[in-house]
Amino acid sequence: MKKYRVHTENDMSHEYESLDQAEQTFERWKEHSMSDGVIAHESYVEIVESDDDFEDYKVIKKVVAVIDDERTELGTPREEGMDWDYWAKWQEVEEEEA
């Protein structure tokens, strides 16, 4: 039976039996991570799938934080009174088949 978890660079969720439940957590964690502050090209959120209690798993969906150049061109966060240097957004990562 397939099980799912959500991972970030700092945390992992408990196991889910349904992909829908994992996707709900994935979306919440994306929002939470972005509001807490992310590091471009280091911060990520992913859903993993396993058949063997996560001894091995496959990443089925992943996003990584990148600099939002379009928004930053309109004004930097510091210019708007924030305490960080760039705006970020999530970019989906295409996973390569093994």
Side-chain angles (χ1 to χ4, degrees), residues 21-83:
Q21 292 172 313
E23 286 179 336
Q24 290 174 8
T25 298
F26 176 82
E27 293 301 326
R28 279 195 316 273
W29 282 24
K30 281 175 32 185
E31 288 177 28
H32 182 72
S33 294
M34 194 61 76
S35 68
D36 279 351
V38 294
I39 300 172
H41 308 291
E42 290 182 27
S43 298
Y44 68 90
V45 182
E46 65 187 9
I47 299 175
V48 298
E49 164 185 272
S50 178
D51 291 324
D52 60 7
D53 291 324
F54 296 96
E55 289 184 32
D56 292 310
Y57 60 82
K58 175 183 174 186
V59 176
I60 60 172
K61 187 174 190 178
K62 182 175 183 174
V63 292
V64 64
V66 296
I67 295 174
D68 186 342
D69 292 321
E70 290 176 13
R71 185 164 182 205
T72 302
E73 283 178 14
L74 299 174
T76 68
R78 291 207 185 274
E79 291 170 341
E80 295 185 27
M82 308 296 177
D83 194 25

